[in-house]
Amino acid sequence: MTDRPSLRQSTGPTSTRILGVGSHQPERVVTNDDLSQLMETNDQWIRERVGIIERRFGDKDELLVDFAVAAGTAALEDAGVDPSEVDTVILPNCTMPTPIPNAAGQVAARLGIPSPGAFDLNAACAGFCYGLGVASDLIRAGSAKKVLVIGAEKLTDVVDPTDRANAIIFADGAGAAVVGGADEPGIGPVVWGSAGDLVDLIYMRDEKWIYQEGQSVFRWATTKIAPIAMRALEAAGLQPSDVDVLIPHQANLRIVESIAKKLRAAGAREDMIVADDIKYSGNTSSASIPLALDHMRKAGTAKPGDVVLAIGFGAGLSYAGQAFVCP
């Protein structure tokens, strides 16, 4: 016998789903020809190397938080969820100019979300998939009921504009998803991990500019990411042939195409739709997957009920992925 009290743990619904998505990009379009005026490069070289045609850059007075508020607003409207219903805000990013205060609390306040749990999450380009996994598990554990996940970046603040290896790739924007409980599974288990022994392949140089060892990152991504995507399908009880839409992190079009090719070799359908948002959005790190999803929904290439496989990967080196049902 003991007089010590016993603890209680909460539980929530057994299943979750994405209720709505939204995105935002700054208005300024920057073409490859525009960049050729600033550095030694040209349209053909950029298209052949990374597959980008144009991207969006924010102005000096536009902030990461501004992008996140706009994307979050759009996602809440799409989900039909009032800000007062949201109890948690997760904001994956790696480009906030200062670590304190975080972006999530500021965004929540501007959205009119009253007193939510709010935190940033830095898994770089894998950030949205990390955030989606955390949101789903928080709800299933009973720690949250509705979670707003916003991947937002202003990469132009941390890219040397004269560095043609990186300045041609990175861009600005935000993408968001509202996650809630469901009667049947709409989000599969997250499969995630890291390769910390390769941390020096992507990092902040001189605490100012982002640097990456491009060829090494390319080899890692084209070798390691497809098997991780297969593990995410297995965790969700799916086969490659079940995938309607594949959304890898939009890092490089050649990487995206390599992942798709390997999944098709493993049984994915030839008519599987593959995101190529990088062509017109560039690499927006943690924003790239939800940004691509929102664009594809609006274009009709990703339809409600489609099985989507998302896989993020980047600095850390970190990776994460899961299958989910398109809202």
Side-chain angles (χ1 to χ4, degrees):
M1 294 291 292
T2 177
D3 293 330
R4 296 185 65 183
S6 59
L7 297 177
R8 178 185 300 161
Q9 288 189 310
S10 61
T11 57
T14 57
S15 302
T16 58
R17 66 186 180 99
I18 296 176
L19 306 176
V21 297
S23 65
H24 173 78
Q25 292 174 285
E27 293 185 4
R28 181 185 170 197
V29 176
V30 178
T31 67
N32 294 338
D33 289 334
D34 292 333
L35 293 179
S36 72
Q37 305 302 310
L38 304 174
M39 65 190 75
E40 185 180 348
T41 191
N42 60 69
D43 179 66
Q44 181 180 354
W45 188 85
I46 295 173
R47 291 192 192 213
E48 290 178 353
R49 184 180 177 86
V50 293
I52 300 173
I53 299 170
E54 63 183 38
R55 71 289 286 152
R56 302 289 187 98
F57 286 0
D59 292 332
K60 290 289 185 182
D61 60 348
E62 291 182 290
L63 306 176
L64 180 156
V65 169
D66 298 327
F67 302 153
V69 169
T73 298
L76 289 169
E77 291 177 353
D78 184 59
V81 171
D82 189 88
S84 63
E85 299 177 60
V86 176
D87 51 28
T88 308
V89 177
I90 304 174
L91 211 155
N93 78 88
C94 60
T95 54
M96 270 295 283
T98 57
I100 300 173
N102 68 17
Q106 299 176 65
V107 170
R110 287 178 53 179
L111 289 173
I113 299 172
S115 304
F119 60 94
D120 290 11
L121 186 161
N122 185 353
C125 303
F128 180 77
C129 291
Y130 265 74
L132 185 60
V134 171
S136 178
D137 287 351
L138 283 173
I139 293 168
R140 294 192 308 112
S143 300
K145 293 183 178 179
K146 286 188 172 65
V147 182
L148 178 59
V149 183
I150 311 173
E153 304 285 4
K154 193 180 182 191
L155 284 146
T156 52
D157 283 347
V158 297
V159 172
D160 181 348
T162 66
D163 176 6
R164 76 168 188 163
N166 289 306
I168 65 169
I169 299 171
F170 295 107
D172 304 332
V178 181
V179 183
D183 294 330
E184 56 186 50
I187 301 174
V190 65
V191 170
W192 55 16
S194 61
D197 55 319
L198 302 177
V199 69
D200 59 345
L201 295 188
I202 308 174
Y203 64 92
M204 295 298 293
R205 185 170 56 192
D206 303 324
E207 297 184 0
K208 184 177 183 181
W209 304 125
I210 192 168
Y211 168 81
Q212 65 173 337
E213 185 63 47
Q215 287 301 314
S216 297
V217 173
F218 181 89
R219 287 192 295 271
W220 176 78
T222 54
T223 303
K224 302 296 185 181
I225 300 305
I228 295 164
M230 291 293 293
R231 284 171 49 200
L233 288 177
E234 182 180 1
L238 299 174
Q239 300 295 323
S241 58
D242 295 320
V243 178
D244 299 304
V245 179
L246 172 66
I247 309 182
H249 163 51
Q250 301 293 286
N252 177 310
L253 188 59
R254 290 189 297 155
I255 294 175
V256 169
E257 291 172 343
S258 171
I259 295 169
K261 182 178 180 180
K262 290 184 177 183
L263 286 179
R264 287 192 172 109
R269 306 192 311 269
E270 286 300 317
D271 66 351
M272 177 182 67
I273 303 297
V274 181
D276 59 359
D277 200 55
I278 189 170
K279 290 181 179 179
Y280 297 99
S281 297
N283 180 339
T284 56
S285 190
S286 64
S288 81
I289 288 174
L291 197 61
L293 174 62
D294 192 42
H295 288 168
M296 295 173 78
R297 278 210 325 160
K298 290 173 179 174
T301 51
K303 300 178 291 296
D306 280 352
V307 173
V308 179
L309 174 60
I311 180 75
F313 50 90
L317 294 174
S318 58
Y319 55 84
Q322 63 270 98
F324 58 83
V325 177
C326 181

